[in-house]
């Protein structure tokens, strides 16, 4: 009371002034000051009257010519409207007045002033409407003076979930912390499940269990490079998609990130951002990708369009899974090492687009200038982790230029990968973490063993890998089977050396009854004491039973197998010890 403020220079415009007790967020009154026609003028605004008394409190402006203007008390709120319903283009009415004309899907208004303290009937009509009477939906709302609202139109007109307006009164036009950027996230994809939003490389979700129609509070982030995985709540290995970008230097950025579109349908699911000025843009989408060099020669450079992404990439080397832009066409180029630009490429592959949420394995294979020729082969259904935490998932790529079509089978067991020819990926297999002995055979001739390998994946639970045949069957470098893990580590599988001493110790092994339905008995004879264990595989190679027989004495022994829960079919029982393995077939009948 009794103080003058310094003069404040403002652009001529329409303003609303809130009167608050110092240090309080409580608004006592709001006054409109239309200064749009007063360019070049100087005004003194003064408070007058008695707050809660007579004469009443008011704000008045004095022009330099002595004219005194009472500023009208006017309750107002700030409002941004975002159109996120897949159809149609609409007109929006406030009572009988047209508020937004031809409002299109995935667009937004800037924040505007709207009357507060009174009920407003918000009507949504087709974009060709002539009046509010044509509204297909009407929503009565009352805004509170001084608050900032974001209204999201979402849902399906005539569908489920139905079209609705979702409102938050916690909108922001500027960050509370000028050193941060602040985002609110809205789930607006009809039919999509509750989702988690997790920063790639973060320690946990940024947003958990967000349901359709919900806004999150604003989240403050230090501006940096962010990639965000969207996944169904409770299923972190099922990635719907990955979005983000480089926000470095964007202190003060504030916006609403909203999920839009329909999952696995049209328009496609996407993440967009709305800024306070009404600008709406899609967040860049990304896919995971791993590159494996399996061409015998030479060491190469790899280009993404004009940008070199791999330098001096060597034979049998792999990258870890990284990120490439999704939903945009691009060209992959391969050039000899020490290249200077993408113009040096000896091979190019035009990629229409990658899908966000998917993982790709890109394999370089073939012979430069030879037959089969050099090429890039893409597994569009790659995995950078196992689908379940307790298994190891792997796919086979046939990359040996002179090898025939092959099968892969368990030693003395079933074929687990069938008929894979050069340049092909197999489907993924999920197996328990254990040690396996596998054999590579020509397709349709499983009695001819090309190579036998030991695959010890006992320490790889939860991981996914690409197993790739490499080198020449008759040439240099020689044929080997290699493994590429998701982190880019590669290693050859060791060849199996048959030192099966169990053959001499286990002098007899049979199953009775066989076929069986509820139980079968393992009848065996040992020439000396031996600690035995067992594994039962179905005809696809999936392990369905395992256990310990323990340390058995020399002589005859009988062990019971409970097979009551197994489906009808052919199975392979492995009896193992540190001395080797023996296998016998079991038929289950129902």
């Amino acid at each position: 009371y009794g103080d003058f403020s310094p003069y404040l220079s403002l652009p001529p415009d329409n303003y609303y002034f809130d009167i608050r007790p110092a240090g309080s967020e409580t608004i006592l009154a709001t006054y409109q000051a239309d200064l749009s026609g007063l360019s070049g003028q100087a005004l003194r605004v003064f408070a007058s009257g008695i707050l809660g008394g007579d004469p009443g409190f008011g704000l008045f402006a004095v022009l330099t010519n002595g004219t005194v203007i009472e500023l009208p008390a006017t309750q107002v709120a700030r409002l941004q409207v975002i159109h996120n319903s897949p159809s149609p283009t609409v007109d929006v009415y406030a009572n009988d007045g047209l508020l937004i004309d031809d409002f299109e899907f995935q667009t937004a208004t800037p924040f505007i002033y709207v009357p507060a303290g009174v009920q407003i009937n918000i009507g949504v009509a087709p974009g060709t409407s002539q009046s509010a009477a044509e509204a297909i939906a009407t929503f009565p709302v009352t805004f509170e003076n001084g608050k900032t609202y974001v209204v999201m139109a979402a849902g399906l007109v005539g569908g489920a979930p139905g079209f609705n307006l979702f409102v938050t009164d916690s909108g922001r036009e500027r960050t509370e912390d000028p050193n941060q950027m602040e985002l609110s996230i809205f789930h607006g994809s009809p039919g999509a499940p509750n989702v988690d939003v997790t920063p790639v490389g973060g320690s946990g979700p940024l947003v958990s269990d967000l349901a359709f129609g919900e806004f999150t509070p604003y989240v403050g982030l230090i501006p940096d490079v962010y990639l965000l995985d969207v996944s169904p709540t409770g299923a972190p290995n099922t990635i719907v998609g990955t979005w983000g970008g480089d926000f470095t230097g964007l202190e003060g950025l504030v916006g609403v990130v909203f999920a839009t579109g329909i999952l696995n349908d049209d328009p496609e699911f996407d993440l967009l951002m709305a800024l306070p000025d009404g600008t709406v843009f899609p967040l860049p989408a990304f896919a995971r990708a791993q590159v494996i060099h399996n061409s015998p020669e030479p060491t190469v450079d790899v280009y993404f369009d004009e940008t070199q992404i791999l330098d001096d990439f060597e034979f049998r080397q792999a990258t870890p899974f990284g990120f490439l832009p999704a939903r945009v066409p691009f060209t992959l180029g391969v050039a000899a090492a020490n290249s200077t630009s993408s113009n040096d490429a000896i091979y190019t592959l035009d990629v229409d687009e990658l899908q966000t949420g998917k993982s790709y394995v890109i394999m370089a294979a073939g012979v430069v200038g030879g037959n089969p020729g050099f090429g890039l082969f893409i597994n569009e259904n790659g995995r950078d982790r196992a689908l379940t935490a307790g298994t190891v998932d792997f796919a086979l790529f046939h990359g040996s230029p002179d090898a025939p079509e092959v099968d892969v089978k368990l030693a003395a067991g079933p074929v687990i990968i069938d008929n894979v020819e050069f340049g092909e990926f197999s489907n993924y297999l999920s197996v328990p973490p254990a040690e396996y002995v596998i054999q590579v055979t020509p397709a349709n001739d499983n009695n001819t063993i090309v190579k036998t390998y030991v695959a010890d994946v006992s320490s790889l639970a939860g991981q996914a890998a690409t197993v790739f045949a490499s080198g020449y069957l008759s040439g240099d470098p020689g044929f080997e089977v290699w493994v590429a893990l998701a982190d880019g580590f590669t290693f050859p599988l060791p060849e199996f050396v048959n030192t099966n001493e169990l053959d001499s110790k286990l002098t007899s092994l049979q199953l009775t009854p066989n076929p069986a339905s509820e139980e079968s008995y393992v009848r065996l004879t040992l020439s000396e004491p031996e600690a035995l264990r067992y594994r039962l595989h179905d005809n696809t190679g999936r392990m369905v039973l395992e256990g310990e027989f323990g340390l058995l004495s020399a002589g005859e022994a009988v062990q019971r197998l409970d097979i009551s829960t197994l489906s009808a079919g052919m199975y392979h029982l492995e009896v193992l010890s540190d001395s080797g393995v023996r296998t016998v077939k079991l038929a289950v009948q129902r």
Side-chain angles (χ1 to χ4, degrees), residues 60-370:
F60 297 81
V62 183
L63 305 184
T64 52
N65 63 4
T67 301
V68 177
I69 303 171
E70 182 175 3
L71 303 184
T74 308
Q75 295 191 65
V76 291
R78 294 286 282 171
L79 171 68
Q80 180 177 50
V81 184
I82 303 172
H83 185 346
N84 192 33
S85 176
S87 63
T89 297
V90 297
D91 296 336
V92 180
Y93 292 86
N95 294 330
D96 293 329
L98 182 63
L99 182 65
I100 310 171
D101 189 28
D102 291 338
F103 196 27
E104 297 181 355
F105 177 48
Q106 297 178 345
T107 63
T109 69
F111 277 94
I112 59 173
Y113 286 107
V114 291
V118 295
Q119 180 175 299
I120 302 172
N121 293 317
I122 302 295
V124 180
T128 57
S129 69
Q130 300 298 311
S131 74
E134 299 178 49
I136 56 177
T138 302
F139 304 89
V141 296
T142 301
F143 298 113
E144 186 176 335
N145 183 46
K147 286 198 169 182
T148 301
Y149 294 83
V150 177
V151 174
M152 185 78 64
L156 302 174
V157 176
F163 177 86
N164 205 347
L165 298 182
F166 301 89
V167 182
T168 177
D169 63 0
S170 300
R172 288 188 193 167
E173 298 182 66
R174 59 192 63 84
T175 59
E176 292 184 347
D177 184 339
N179 297 314
Q180 292 190 340
M181 64 181 199
E182 296 174 1
L183 305 175
S184 174
I185 301 175
F186 176 82
H187 184 337
S189 175
N194 292 15
V195 298
D196 297 340
V197 180
T198 305
V200 173
S203 58
L206 181 70
V207 175
S208 297
D209 201 21
L210 186 65
F212 173 78
E214 287 185 342
F215 288 91
T216 70
Y218 282 82
V219 178
L221 299 169
I222 300 299
D224 203 343
V225 176
Y226 289 98
L227 295 179
L228 304 174
D229 283 337
V230 178
S231 59
T233 297
N237 286 354
T238 304
I239 305 298
V240 173
T242 304
W243 289 266
D246 186 355
F247 298 92
T248 305
L250 296 181
E251 291 83 358
L253 175 72
V254 64
V256 176
V257 174
F258 58 101
T260 185
I262 302 174
L263 196 60
N264 301 320
D265 207 339
D266 188 44
E268 67 182 345
F269 184 97
D270 206 354
L271 290 190
L272 277 65
M273 182 184 289
L275 302 181
D277 64 1
T279 300
V280 174
F281 57 91
L283 291 181
F286 295 87
R288 286 170 166 81
Q290 179 180 47
V291 183
I292 303 172
H293 185 347
N294 191 33
S295 175
E297 57 180 345
T299 298
V300 297
D301 299 335
V302 179
Y303 289 84
F304 179 92
D305 288 334
E306 308 300 321
T307 302
Q308 186 183 82
I309 58 174
L310 294 174
D311 185 34
D312 293 341
F313 194 40
E314 297 180 356
F315 178 46
R316 292 172 176 163
Q317 184 180 357
T319 69
F321 271 91
F323 292 91
L324 291 176
R327 297 179 175 174
V328 292
F330 60 89
T331 299
L332 288 175
V334 180
N338 302 316
S339 66
T340 59
S341 77
S342 61
N343 294 329
D344 296 331
I346 58 176
Y347 174 88
T348 59
L349 177 66
D350 293 327
V351 180
D352 287 339
E353 63 178 46
L354 304 181
Q355 296 181 40
T356 186
K358 296 186 71 172
S359 295
Y360 296 82
V361 177
I362 303 171
M363 184 76 67
V367 183
V368 176

Side-chain angles (χ1 to χ4, degrees), residues 235-570:
N237 286 354
T238 304
I239 305 298
V240 173
T242 304
W243 289 266
D246 186 355
F247 298 92
T248 305
L250 296 181
E251 291 83 358
L253 175 72
V254 64
V256 176
V257 174
F258 58 101
T260 185
I262 302 174
L263 196 60
N264 301 320
D265 207 339
D266 188 44
E268 67 182 345
F269 184 97
D270 206 354
L271 290 190
L272 277 65
M273 182 184 289
L275 302 181
D277 64 1
T279 300
V280 174
F281 57 91
L283 291 181
F286 295 87
R288 286 170 166 81
Q290 179 180 47
V291 183
I292 303 172
H293 185 347
N294 191 33
S295 175
E297 57 180 345
T299 298
V300 297
D301 299 335
V302 179
Y303 289 84
F304 179 92
D305 288 334
E306 308 300 321
T307 302
Q308 186 183 82
I309 58 174
L310 294 174
D311 185 34
D312 293 341
F313 194 40
E314 297 180 356
F315 178 46
R316 292 172 176 163
Q317 184 180 357
T319 69
F321 271 91
F323 292 91
L324 291 176
R327 297 179 175 174
V328 292
F330 60 89
T331 299
L332 288 175
V334 180
N338 302 316
S339 66
T340 59
S341 77
S342 61
N343 294 329
D344 296 331
I346 58 176
Y347 174 88
T348 59
L349 177 66
D350 293 327
V351 180
D352 287 339
E353 63 178 46
L354 304 181
Q355 296 181 40
T356 186
K358 296 186 71 172
S359 295
Y360 296 82
V361 177
I362 303 171
M363 184 76 67
V367 183
V368 176
N371 185 31
F374 178 89
L376 295 179
F377 303 86
I378 300 180
N379 185 354
E380 298 182 354
N381 297 297
R383 295 180 188 173
D384 67 327
R385 69 197 83 178
L387 293 184
T388 57
T391 66
V392 181
D393 295 2
F394 71 92
L396 173 72
F397 176 81
H398 185 335
S400 175
D402 63 341
E405 189 175 18
V406 298
D407 293 344
V408 176
K409 62 190 291 288
L410 294 178
V415 172
I416 56 175
I417 297 175
D418 195 29
N419 296 344
V420 180
E421 63 182 20
F422 174 80
E424 282 188 339
F425 288 90
S426 73
N427 294 327
Y428 276 84
L429 288 179
S430 297
V431 300
E435 181 180 293
Y436 299 89
V437 178
I438 61 172
Q439 295 173 328
V440 179
T441 76
N444 305 316
D445 179 12
N446 301 136
N447 293 320
T448 301
I449 309 301
V450 177
K451 294 279 187 177
T452 302
Y453 297 96
V454 178
D456 184 358
V457 296
S458 55
S459 63
L460 300 181
Q463 297 195 45
T466 299
V467 178
F468 56 102
S470 180
Y472 295 99
L473 200 59
S474 54
D476 187 38
F479 183 93
E480 294 184 73
V481 173
W482 280 63
V483 178
L485 301 182
D487 63 3
F489 181 69
T490 61
F491 59 93
L493 291 182
E495 284 199 54
F496 175 75
V497 179
N498 188 4
T499 57
N500 196 354
E501 298 176 3
L502 191 60
D503 280 336
S504 60
K505 295 180 181 181
L506 187 58
T507 58
S508 69
L509 175 64
Q510 60 179 330
L511 292 171
T512 58
N514 188 8
S517 59
E518 298 297 321
E519 61 184 10
S520 184
Y521 290 88
V522 183
R523 300 183 183 275
L524 52 88
T525 303
L526 287 168
S527 61
E528 60 183 88
E530 189 80 1
L532 298 179
R533 57 192 185 275
Y534 69 89
R535 295 196 296 234
L536 189 67
H537 299 269
D538 65 16
N539 216 31
T540 68
R542 183 173 60 94
M543 188 167 67
V544 295
L545 289 177
E546 66 175 334
E548 301 280 343
F549 289 151
L551 178 61
L552 301 180
S553 302
E556 295 184 353
V558 178
Q559 299 286 329
R560 178 180 177 272
L561 286 180
D562 181 358
I563 57 173
S564 58
T565 61
L566 300 182
S567 302
M570 187 63 67

